[in-house]
Amino acid sequence: MLALVGGLFGACGIGGQRQLRDAFPDLGVLVTTTDPARVRAELANVTLPDSDSHNMELLAMLRGRETVTAAHLVLLVRAVALPENIICSNGAGKWTYPQRGKSEHAAFVDQLLTEGAAKLDDVDGYWLGELIGISQSDATMMMLCEQYVPAVDDGSERAFDELLRGMPGSPAMLPFLSLYMGPQGRLDGARGWHAFGKMSFDNDRVALLETLLQRNEELSDERVLMAMKAFSFDNGRERALELLVDRASPLDAETARAAASTFSFDSGRGAAFATLAKRGGVVLEESQLARFVGLCSFDADRVKCVQLFAPKLQGEPRGKAANSLLSKLSFDSGRLKVVELMASRWVQLSKDERFALLQVFSFDSSRKQATRLLMR
């Protein structure tokens, strides 16, 4: 999984680095080097000139070539002074991107990519992914896709992986998937979910999930849980669960509970319970409700959970399950509230089963109040 390892930097050159001309007296190396990886590593550690004259020099080098490799075109783009706002790592390497389309040099980057695309002579999936990943507008991204994706994407997972491997964490990845790959039918089947697993940020995951759920495909319980587990934060999980239950309803009780258990905090689990109870079509028995309640840390949340799901209970009440549910509460005040919510159902239990429920209470005063509710 990708991780955000850096924050906002005001300029491409970070303090103490050499100037570009000190590292590269001859900038022609950007389009002639036989070791693009080494030059790229050196570029990452120099201060780039933030000027139109520098940009025009880069463009002149591109125009002076009849053909250019994708690796060299990437070097030219990386030599443009763009603020590195997004820095991602997957353990094998680091990728930096500007906020897409926000830099004063964004249009120039797209010009390099547009003119360079006509000169490319060695595009494979990985390098096309890199070029798409550094595009600064949807128009340029679509131009690259229409020109080269059909040639490199044969519909296999391997080909798809190569494309995505070139743009990890890129702000262009979501537009690439939702504006080009999806409408082209290149996200059908497992490929779409494979792409979902490659997304780096929750906002992008939600947006792609919306796209995937528009397809008329069966949504399995396993897929629901896979999607929920992909999110990093509860606010993303809340939105995802809303989308998933609207598409997959009704959810079985165990899948619903497993989805709620992916949340990190009680507030998130509470929101999940509300979504599941109101929109998830969940029906359950006391024993299953007890397992839902067991996800909560505090009695107030446990009572709220019972309040939400009590109308969803089905089947005859069972004393052992009712006892297990009531025992999930920590204090008599919470237990009394649960008895109030469940009394109309639990009065159907045998006298011995109701008497056993009363023994869960810690104090006689609470037990007497519960007796009035259960022994009528």
PDB file of all heavy atoms in Angstrom, residues 118-153:
ATOM      1  N   ALA A 118       4.060  12.920 -29.925  1.00  0.00           N
ATOM      2  CA  ALA A 118       4.177  12.674 -31.365  1.00  0.00           C
ATOM      3  C   ALA A 118       5.548  12.133 -31.757  1.00  0.00           C
ATOM      4  O   ALA A 118       5.734  11.655 -32.881  1.00  0.00           O
ATOM      5  CB  ALA A 118       3.908  13.979 -32.120  1.00  0.00           C
ATOM      6  N   LYS A 119       6.504  12.190 -30.826  1.00  0.00           N
ATOM      7  CA  LYS A 119       7.867  11.754 -31.131  1.00  0.00           C
ATOM      8  C   LYS A 119       8.245  10.445 -30.435  1.00  0.00           C
ATOM      9  O   LYS A 119       9.351   9.939 -30.616  1.00  0.00           O
ATOM     10  CB  LYS A 119       8.865  12.840 -30.690  1.00  0.00           C
ATOM     11  CG  LYS A 119       8.716  14.180 -31.418  1.00  0.00           C
ATOM     12  CD  LYS A 119       9.628  15.231 -30.785  1.00  0.00           C
ATOM     13  CE  LYS A 119       9.562  16.562 -31.517  1.00  0.00           C
ATOM     14  NZ  LYS A 119      10.431  16.565 -32.716  1.00  0.00           N
ATOM     15  N   LEU A 120       7.351   9.899 -29.623  1.00  0.00           N
ATOM     16  CA  LEU A 120       7.690   8.719 -28.830  1.00  0.00           C
ATOM     17  C   LEU A 120       7.926   7.504 -29.716  1.00  0.00           C
ATOM     18  O   LEU A 120       7.195   7.271 -30.681  1.00  0.00           O
ATOM     19  CB  LEU A 120       6.565   8.418 -27.832  1.00  0.00           C
ATOM     20  CG  LEU A 120       6.406   9.416 -26.683  1.00  0.00           C
ATOM     21  CD1 LEU A 120       5.162   9.091 -25.873  1.00  0.00           C
ATOM     22  CD2 LEU A 120       7.641   9.409 -25.782  1.00  0.00           C
ATOM     23  N   ASP A 121       8.953   6.730 -29.343  1.00  0.00           N
ATOM     24  CA  ASP A 121       9.253   5.547 -30.161  1.00  0.00           C
ATOM     25  C   ASP A 121       9.375   4.263 -29.348  1.00  0.00           C
ATOM     26  O   ASP A 121       9.711   3.219 -29.908  1.00  0.00           O
ATOM     27  CB  ASP A 121      10.550   5.775 -30.953  1.00  0.00           C
ATOM     28  CG  ASP A 121      11.776   5.946 -30.057  1.00  0.00           C
ATOM     29  OD1 ASP A 121      11.617   5.891 -28.813  1.00  0.00           O
ATOM     30  OD2 ASP A 121      12.885   6.145 -30.592  1.00  0.00           O
ATOM     31  N   ASP A 122       9.074   4.311 -28.046  1.00  0.00           N
ATOM     32  CA  ASP A 122       9.298   3.088 -27.261  1.00  0.00           C
ATOM     33  C   ASP A 122       8.321   2.974 -26.096  1.00  0.00           C
ATOM     34  O   ASP A 122       8.693   2.575 -25.010  1.00  0.00           O
ATOM     35  CB  ASP A 122      10.727   3.063 -26.714  1.00  0.00           C
ATOM     36  CG  ASP A 122      10.950   4.125 -25.628  1.00  0.00           C
ATOM     37  OD1 ASP A 122      10.224   5.143 -25.654  1.00  0.00           O
ATOM     38  OD2 ASP A 122      11.809   3.921 -24.760  1.00  0.00           O
ATOM     39  N   VAL A 123       7.067   3.310 -26.308  1.00  0.00           N
ATOM     40  CA  VAL A 123       6.133   3.365 -25.180  1.00  0.00           C
ATOM     41  C   VAL A 123       5.666   1.963 -24.794  1.00  0.00           C
ATOM     42  O   VAL A 123       5.133   1.230 -25.627  1.00  0.00           O
ATOM     43  CB  VAL A 123       4.916   4.233 -25.521  1.00  0.00           C
ATOM     44  CG1 VAL A 123       3.998   4.363 -24.301  1.00  0.00           C
ATOM     45  CG2 VAL A 123       5.362   5.600 -25.985  1.00  0.00           C
ATOM     46  N   ASP A 124       5.871   1.610 -23.531  1.00  0.00           N
ATOM     47  CA  ASP A 124       5.269   0.403 -22.980  1.00  0.00           C
ATOM     48  C   ASP A 124       4.300   0.834 -21.881  1.00  0.00           C
ATOM     49  O   ASP A 124       4.104   2.030 -21.627  1.00  0.00           O
ATOM     50  CB  ASP A 124       6.318  -0.572 -22.463  1.00  0.00           C
ATOM     51  CG  ASP A 124       7.179   0.011 -21.340  1.00  0.00           C
ATOM     52  OD1 ASP A 124       6.795   1.043 -20.752  1.00  0.00           O
ATOM     53  OD2 ASP A 124       8.235  -0.568 -21.041  1.00  0.00           O
ATOM     54  N   GLY A 125       3.664  -0.130 -21.232  1.00  0.00           N
ATOM     55  CA  GLY A 125       2.649   0.197 -20.250  1.00  0.00           C
ATOM     56  C   GLY A 125       3.175   1.022 -19.098  1.00  0.00           C
ATOM     57  O   GLY A 125       2.546   1.996 -18.672  1.00  0.00           O
ATOM     58  N   TYR A 126       4.336   0.620 -18.562  1.00  0.00           N
ATOM     59  CA  TYR A 126       4.880   1.343 -17.407  1.00  0.00           C
ATOM     60  C   TYR A 126       5.151   2.801 -17.751  1.00  0.00           C
ATOM     61  O   TYR A 126       4.761   3.712 -17.023  1.00  0.00           O
ATOM     62  CB  TYR A 126       6.162   0.678 -16.905  1.00  0.00           C
ATOM     63  CG  TYR A 126       6.843   1.523 -15.856  1.00  0.00           C
ATOM     64  CD1 TYR A 126       6.418   1.481 -14.531  1.00  0.00           C
ATOM     65  CD2 TYR A 126       7.880   2.396 -16.205  1.00  0.00           C
ATOM     66  CE1 TYR A 126       7.014   2.288 -13.575  1.00  0.00           C
ATOM     67  CE2 TYR A 126       8.479   3.199 -15.251  1.00  0.00           C
ATOM     68  CZ  TYR A 126       8.046   3.148 -13.938  1.00  0.00           C
ATOM     69  OH  TYR A 126       8.616   3.949 -13.000  1.00  0.00           O
ATOM     70  N   TRP A 127       5.856   3.053 -18.874  1.00  0.00           N
ATOM     71  CA  TRP A 127       6.224   4.419 -19.210  1.00  0.00           C
ATOM     72  C   TRP A 127       5.012   5.245 -19.625  1.00  0.00           C
ATOM     73  O   TRP A 127       4.960   6.461 -19.371  1.00  0.00           O
ATOM     74  CB  TRP A 127       7.307   4.426 -20.283  1.00  0.00           C
ATOM     75  CG  TRP A 127       8.645   4.078 -19.712  1.00  0.00           C
ATOM     76  CD1 TRP A 127       9.343   2.929 -19.898  1.00  0.00           C
ATOM     77  CD2 TRP A 127       9.410   4.887 -18.814  1.00  0.00           C
ATOM     78  NE1 TRP A 127      10.516   2.964 -19.175  1.00  0.00           N
ATOM     79  CE2 TRP A 127      10.580   4.159 -18.502  1.00  0.00           C
ATOM     80  CE3 TRP A 127       9.229   6.138 -18.239  1.00  0.00           C
ATOM     81  CZ2 TRP A 127      11.561   4.647 -17.645  1.00  0.00           C
ATOM     82  CZ3 TRP A 127      10.205   6.640 -17.379  1.00  0.00           C
ATOM     83  CH2 TRP A 127      11.356   5.894 -17.086  1.00  0.00           C
ATOM     84  N   LEU A 128       4.024   4.618 -20.228  1.00  0.00           N
ATOM     85  CA  LEU A 128       2.792   5.351 -20.510  1.00  0.00           C
ATOM     86  C   LEU A 128       2.129   5.763 -19.196  1.00  0.00           C
ATOM     87  O   LEU A 128       1.614   6.878 -19.064  1.00  0.00           O
ATOM     88  CB  LEU A 128       1.840   4.496 -21.341  1.00  0.00           C
ATOM     89  CG  LEU A 128       0.506   5.162 -21.684  1.00  0.00           C
ATOM     90  CD1 LEU A 128       0.712   6.466 -22.453  1.00  0.00           C
ATOM     91  CD2 LEU A 128      -0.380   4.209 -22.478  1.00  0.00           C
ATOM     92  N   GLY A 129       2.162   4.860 -18.216  1.00  0.00           N
ATOM     93  CA  GLY A 129       1.637   5.200 -16.901  1.00  0.00           C
ATOM     94  C   GLY A 129       2.344   6.395 -16.287  1.00  0.00           C
ATOM     95  O   GLY A 129       1.714   7.275 -15.692  1.00  0.00           O
ATOM     96  N   GLU A 130       3.664   6.433 -16.426  1.00  0.00           N
ATOM     97  CA  GLU A 130       4.424   7.583 -15.904  1.00  0.00           C
ATOM     98  C   GLU A 130       3.986   8.874 -16.584  1.00  0.00           C
ATOM     99  O   GLU A 130       3.802   9.917 -15.936  1.00  0.00           O
ATOM    100  CB  GLU A 130       5.923   7.357 -16.124  1.00  0.00           C
ATOM    101  CG  GLU A 130       6.559   6.432 -15.109  1.00  0.00           C
ATOM    102  CD  GLU A 130       7.658   7.130 -14.308  1.00  0.00           C
ATOM    103  OE1 GLU A 130       7.672   8.374 -14.242  1.00  0.00           O
ATOM    104  OE2 GLU A 130       8.496   6.411 -13.757  1.00  0.00           O
ATOM    105  N   LEU A 131       3.857   8.844 -17.904  1.00  0.00           N
ATOM    106  CA  LEU A 131       3.472  10.049 -18.645  1.00  0.00           C
ATOM    107  C   LEU A 131       2.063  10.503 -18.268  1.00  0.00           C
ATOM    108  O   LEU A 131       1.813  11.702 -18.070  1.00  0.00           O
ATOM    109  CB  LEU A 131       3.569   9.791 -20.144  1.00  0.00           C
ATOM    110  CG  LEU A 131       4.983   9.522 -20.683  1.00  0.00           C
ATOM    111  CD1 LEU A 131       4.928   9.079 -22.140  1.00  0.00           C
ATOM    112  CD2 LEU A 131       5.868  10.764 -20.539  1.00  0.00           C
ATOM    113  N   ILE A 132       1.139   9.557 -18.168  1.00  0.00           N
ATOM    114  CA  ILE A 132      -0.217   9.906 -17.753  1.00  0.00           C
ATOM    115  C   ILE A 132      -0.195  10.475 -16.335  1.00  0.00           C
ATOM    116  O   ILE A 132      -0.880  11.454 -16.020  1.00  0.00           O
ATOM    117  CB  ILE A 132      -1.135   8.671 -17.834  1.00  0.00           C
ATOM    118  CG1 ILE A 132      -1.360   8.276 -19.291  1.00  0.00           C
ATOM    119  CG2 ILE A 132      -2.466   8.923 -17.132  1.00  0.00           C
ATOM    120  CD1 ILE A 132      -2.045   6.932 -19.464  1.00  0.00           C
ATOM    121  N   GLY A 133       0.626   9.870 -15.491  1.00  0.00           N
ATOM    122  CA  GLY A 133       0.682  10.281 -14.092  1.00  0.00           C
ATOM    123  C   GLY A 133       1.153  11.699 -13.882  1.00  0.00           C
ATOM    124  O   GLY A 133       0.793  12.337 -12.885  1.00  0.00           O
ATOM    125  N   ILE A 134       1.972  12.233 -14.801  1.00  0.00           N
ATOM    126  CA  ILE A 134       2.465  13.602 -14.645  1.00  0.00           C
ATOM    127  C   ILE A 134       1.706  14.593 -15.522  1.00  0.00           C
ATOM    128  O   ILE A 134       2.052  15.779 -15.559  1.00  0.00           O
ATOM    129  CB  ILE A 134       3.980  13.698 -14.928  1.00  0.00           C
ATOM    130  CG1 ILE A 134       4.322  13.136 -16.311  1.00  0.00           C
ATOM    131  CG2 ILE A 134       4.776  12.978 -13.844  1.00  0.00           C
ATOM    132  CD1 ILE A 134       5.803  13.206 -16.660  1.00  0.00           C
ATOM    133  N   SER A 135       0.664  14.126 -16.210  1.00  0.00           N
ATOM    134  CA  SER A 135      -0.147  15.055 -17.018  1.00  0.00           C
ATOM    135  C   SER A 135      -0.860  16.029 -16.085  1.00  0.00           C
ATOM    136  O   SER A 135      -1.252  15.683 -14.970  1.00  0.00           O
ATOM    137  CB  SER A 135      -1.153  14.284 -17.868  1.00  0.00           C
ATOM    138  OG  SER A 135      -2.106  13.617 -17.053  1.00  0.00           O
ATOM    139  N   GLN A 136      -1.032  17.239 -16.578  1.00  0.00           N
ATOM    140  CA  GLN A 136      -1.594  18.296 -15.743  1.00  0.00           C
ATOM    141  C   GLN A 136      -3.040  18.653 -16.088  1.00  0.00           C
ATOM    142  O   GLN A 136      -3.626  19.542 -15.472  1.00  0.00           O
ATOM    143  CB  GLN A 136      -0.722  19.548 -15.842  1.00  0.00           C
ATOM    144  CG  GLN A 136       0.686  19.352 -15.292  1.00  0.00           C
ATOM    145  CD  GLN A 136       0.669  18.991 -13.820  1.00  0.00           C
ATOM    146  OE1 GLN A 136       0.249  19.800 -12.994  1.00  0.00           O
ATOM    147  NE2 GLN A 136       1.112  17.784 -13.486  1.00  0.00           N
ATOM    148  N   SER A 137      -3.614  17.997 -17.057  1.00  0.00           N
ATOM    149  CA  SER A 137      -5.009  18.258 -17.409  1.00  0.00           C
ATOM    150  C   SER A 137      -5.634  16.986 -17.956  1.00  0.00           C
ATOM    151  O   SER A 137      -4.936  16.085 -18.445  1.00  0.00           O
ATOM    152  CB  SER A 137      -5.106  19.370 -18.462  1.00  0.00           C
ATOM    153  OG  SER A 137      -4.592  18.920 -19.711  1.00  0.00           O
ATOM    154  N   ASP A 138      -6.957  16.928 -17.872  1.00  0.00           N
ATOM    155  CA  ASP A 138      -7.659  15.774 -18.419  1.00  0.00           C
ATOM    156  C   ASP A 138      -7.499  15.692 -19.937  1.00  0.00           C
ATOM    157  O   ASP A 138      -7.453  14.600 -20.502  1.00  0.00           O
ATOM    158  CB  ASP A 138      -9.144  15.842 -18.055  1.00  0.00           C
ATOM    159  CG  ASP A 138      -9.393  15.645 -16.569  1.00  0.00           C
ATOM    160  OD1 ASP A 138      -8.481  15.162 -15.872  1.00  0.00           O
ATOM    161  OD2 ASP A 138     -10.501  15.984 -16.109  1.00  0.00           O
ATOM    162  N   ALA A 139      -7.417  16.856 -20.606  1.00  0.00           N
ATOM    163  CA  ALA A 139      -7.280  16.848 -22.064  1.00  0.00           C
ATOM    164  C   ALA A 139      -5.977  16.171 -22.489  1.00  0.00           C
ATOM    165  O   ALA A 139      -5.965  15.349 -23.422  1.00  0.00           O
ATOM    166  CB  ALA A 139      -7.338  18.273 -22.607  1.00  0.00           C
ATOM    167  N   THR A 140      -4.892  16.512 -21.806  1.00  0.00           N
ATOM    168  CA  THR A 140      -3.610  15.885 -22.143  1.00  0.00           C
ATOM    169  C   THR A 140      -3.610  14.409 -21.774  1.00  0.00           C
ATOM    170  O   THR A 140      -3.101  13.563 -22.512  1.00  0.00           O
ATOM    171  CB  THR A 140      -2.466  16.613 -21.427  1.00  0.00           C
ATOM    172  OG1 THR A 140      -2.462  17.981 -21.840  1.00  0.00           O
ATOM    173  CG2 THR A 140      -1.125  15.986 -21.741  1.00  0.00           C
ATOM    174  N   MET A 141      -4.181  14.097 -20.631  1.00  0.00           N
ATOM    175  CA  MET A 141      -4.285  12.690 -20.223  1.00  0.00           C
ATOM    176  C   MET A 141      -5.072  11.890 -21.264  1.00  0.00           C
ATOM    177  O   MET A 141      -4.655  10.788 -21.658  1.00  0.00           O
ATOM    178  CB  MET A 141      -4.964  12.613 -18.855  1.00  0.00           C
ATOM    179  CG  MET A 141      -5.180  11.203 -18.311  1.00  0.00           C
ATOM    180  SD  MET A 141      -6.773  10.492 -18.791  1.00  0.00           S
ATOM    181  CE  MET A 141      -7.915  11.572 -17.935  1.00  0.00           C
ATOM    182  N   MET A 142      -6.197  12.413 -21.717  1.00  0.00           N
ATOM    183  CA  MET A 142      -7.007  11.705 -22.703  1.00  0.00           C
ATOM    184  C   MET A 142      -6.272  11.552 -24.027  1.00  0.00           C
ATOM    185  O   MET A 142      -6.388  10.517 -24.700  1.00  0.00           O
ATOM    186  CB  MET A 142      -8.328  12.441 -22.911  1.00  0.00           C
ATOM    187  CG  MET A 142      -9.276  12.371 -21.714  1.00  0.00           C
ATOM    188  SD  MET A 142      -9.896  10.708 -21.381  1.00  0.00           S
ATOM    189  CE  MET A 142     -11.073  10.517 -22.733  1.00  0.00           C
ATOM    190  N   MET A 143      -5.498  12.573 -24.418  1.00  0.00           N
ATOM    191  CA  MET A 143      -4.715  12.475 -25.652  1.00  0.00           C
ATOM    192  C   MET A 143      -3.733  11.316 -25.566  1.00  0.00           C
ATOM    193  O   MET A 143      -3.610  10.504 -26.497  1.00  0.00           O
ATOM    194  CB  MET A 143      -3.972  13.792 -25.893  1.00  0.00           C
ATOM    195  CG  MET A 143      -3.025  13.810 -27.093  1.00  0.00           C
ATOM    196  SD  MET A 143      -1.353  13.160 -26.730  1.00  0.00           S
ATOM    197  CE  MET A 143      -0.773  14.365 -25.528  1.00  0.00           C
ATOM    198  N   LEU A 144      -3.030  11.203 -24.455  1.00  0.00           N
ATOM    199  CA  LEU A 144      -2.077  10.104 -24.275  1.00  0.00           C
ATOM    200  C   LEU A 144      -2.788   8.758 -24.284  1.00  0.00           C
ATOM    201  O   LEU A 144      -2.314   7.787 -24.887  1.00  0.00           O
ATOM    202  CB  LEU A 144      -1.312  10.294 -22.970  1.00  0.00           C
ATOM    203  CG  LEU A 144      -0.308  11.446 -22.926  1.00  0.00           C
ATOM    204  CD1 LEU A 144       0.125  11.729 -21.489  1.00  0.00           C
ATOM    205  CD2 LEU A 144       0.910  11.131 -23.785  1.00  0.00           C
ATOM    206  N   CYS A 145      -3.937   8.694 -23.612  1.00  0.00           N
ATOM    207  CA  CYS A 145      -4.683   7.442 -23.538  1.00  0.00           C
ATOM    208  C   CYS A 145      -5.158   6.998 -24.920  1.00  0.00           C
ATOM    209  O   CYS A 145      -4.970   5.841 -25.314  1.00  0.00           O
ATOM    210  CB  CYS A 145      -5.880   7.607 -22.609  1.00  0.00           C
ATOM    211  SG  CYS A 145      -5.454   7.767 -20.856  1.00  0.00           S
ATOM    212  N   GLU A 146      -5.796   7.907 -25.624  1.00  0.00           N
ATOM    213  CA  GLU A 146      -6.354   7.547 -26.929  1.00  0.00           C
ATOM    214  C   GLU A 146      -5.271   7.144 -27.916  1.00  0.00           C
ATOM    215  O   GLU A 146      -5.485   6.274 -28.773  1.00  0.00           O
ATOM    216  CB  GLU A 146      -7.166   8.726 -27.459  1.00  0.00           C
ATOM    217  CG  GLU A 146      -8.452   8.946 -26.668  1.00  0.00           C
ATOM    218  CD  GLU A 146      -9.108  10.278 -26.975  1.00  0.00           C
ATOM    219  OE1 GLU A 146      -8.529  11.060 -27.770  1.00  0.00           O
ATOM    220  OE2 GLU A 146     -10.188  10.550 -26.414  1.00  0.00           O
ATOM    221  N   GLN A 147      -4.095   7.747 -27.761  1.00  0.00           N
ATOM    222  CA  GLN A 147      -3.026   7.461 -28.705  1.00  0.00           C
ATOM    223  C   GLN A 147      -2.309   6.155 -28.398  1.00  0.00           C
ATOM    224  O   GLN A 147      -1.886   5.447 -29.322  1.00  0.00           O
ATOM    225  CB  GLN A 147      -2.026   8.627 -28.711  1.00  0.00           C
ATOM    226  CG  GLN A 147      -1.042   8.607 -29.880  1.00  0.00           C
ATOM    227  CD  GLN A 147      -0.361   9.955 -30.067  1.00  0.00           C
ATOM    228  OE1 GLN A 147      -0.828  10.973 -29.581  1.00  0.00           O
ATOM    229  NE2 GLN A 147       0.739   9.954 -30.788  1.00  0.00           N
ATOM    230  N   TYR A 148      -2.184   5.807 -27.110  1.00  0.00           N
ATOM    231  CA  TYR A 148      -1.291   4.698 -26.778  1.00  0.00           C
ATOM    232  C   TYR A 148      -1.902   3.555 -25.959  1.00  0.00           C
ATOM    233  O   TYR A 148      -1.380   2.440 -26.005  1.00  0.00           O
ATOM    234  CB  TYR A 148      -0.069   5.237 -26.026  1.00  0.00           C
ATOM    235  CG  TYR A 148       0.844   6.065 -26.901  1.00  0.00           C
ATOM    236  CD1 TYR A 148       0.915   7.446 -26.760  1.00  0.00           C
ATOM    237  CD2 TYR A 148       1.618   5.465 -27.888  1.00  0.00           C
ATOM    238  CE1 TYR A 148       1.750   8.210 -27.570  1.00  0.00           C
ATOM    239  CE2 TYR A 148       2.450   6.210 -28.706  1.00  0.00           C
ATOM    240  CZ  TYR A 148       2.506   7.580 -28.548  1.00  0.00           C
ATOM    241  OH  TYR A 148       3.322   8.322 -29.358  1.00  0.00           O
ATOM    242  N   VAL A 149      -2.966   3.802 -25.178  1.00  0.00           N
ATOM    243  CA  VAL A 149      -3.494   2.720 -24.341  1.00  0.00           C
ATOM    244  C   VAL A 149      -3.923   1.503 -25.161  1.00  0.00           C
ATOM    245  O   VAL A 149      -3.606   0.360 -24.787  1.00  0.00           O
ATOM    246  CB  VAL A 149      -4.652   3.216 -23.446  1.00  0.00           C
ATOM    247  CG1 VAL A 149      -5.384   2.034 -22.802  1.00  0.00           C
ATOM    248  CG2 VAL A 149      -4.109   4.133 -22.350  1.00  0.00           C
ATOM    249  N   PRO A 150      -4.642   1.666 -26.287  1.00  0.00           N
ATOM    250  CA  PRO A 150      -5.037   0.464 -27.034  1.00  0.00           C
ATOM    251  C   PRO A 150      -3.864  -0.420 -27.435  1.00  0.00           C
ATOM    252  O   PRO A 150      -4.015  -1.642 -27.570  1.00  0.00           O
ATOM    253  CB  PRO A 150      -5.751   1.049 -28.262  1.00  0.00           C
ATOM    254  CG  PRO A 150      -6.272   2.373 -27.802  1.00  0.00           C
ATOM    255  CD  PRO A 150      -5.202   2.901 -26.890  1.00  0.00           C
ATOM    256  N   ALA A 151      -2.692   0.176 -27.609  1.00  0.00           N
ATOM    257  CA  ALA A 151      -1.531  -0.605 -28.039  1.00  0.00           C
ATOM    258  C   ALA A 151      -0.876  -1.353 -26.880  1.00  0.00           C
ATOM    259  O   ALA A 151      -0.237  -2.392 -27.103  1.00  0.00           O
ATOM    260  CB  ALA A 151      -0.511   0.310 -28.702  1.00  0.00           C
ATOM    261  N   VAL A 152      -1.003  -0.835 -25.663  1.00  0.00           N
ATOM    262  CA  VAL A 152      -0.280  -1.455 -24.540  1.00  0.00           C
ATOM    263  C   VAL A 152      -1.197  -2.249 -23.611  1.00  0.00           C
ATOM    264  O   VAL A 152      -0.717  -3.058 -22.816  1.00  0.00           O
ATOM    265  CB  VAL A 152       0.492  -0.395 -23.721  1.00  0.00           C
ATOM    266  CG1 VAL A 152       1.477   0.347 -24.604  1.00  0.00           C
ATOM    267  CG2 VAL A 152      -0.449   0.574 -23.021  1.00  0.00           C
ATOM    268  N   ASP A 153      -2.508  -2.023 -23.683  1.00  0.00           N
ATOM    269  CA  ASP A 153      -3.428  -2.718 -22.787  1.00  0.00           C
ATOM    270  C   ASP A 153      -4.186  -3.790 -23.557  1.00  0.00           C
ATOM    271  O   ASP A 153      -5.125  -3.491 -24.297  1.00  0.00           O
ATOM    272  CB  ASP A 153      -4.410  -1.717 -22.158  1.00  0.00           C
ATOM    273  CG  ASP A 153      -5.360  -2.400 -21.189  1.00  0.00           C
ATOM    274  OD1 ASP A 153      -5.049  -3.521 -20.732  1.00  0.00           O
ATOM    275  OD2 ASP A 153      -6.423  -1.816 -20.891  1.00  0.00           O
TER     276      ASP A 153
END
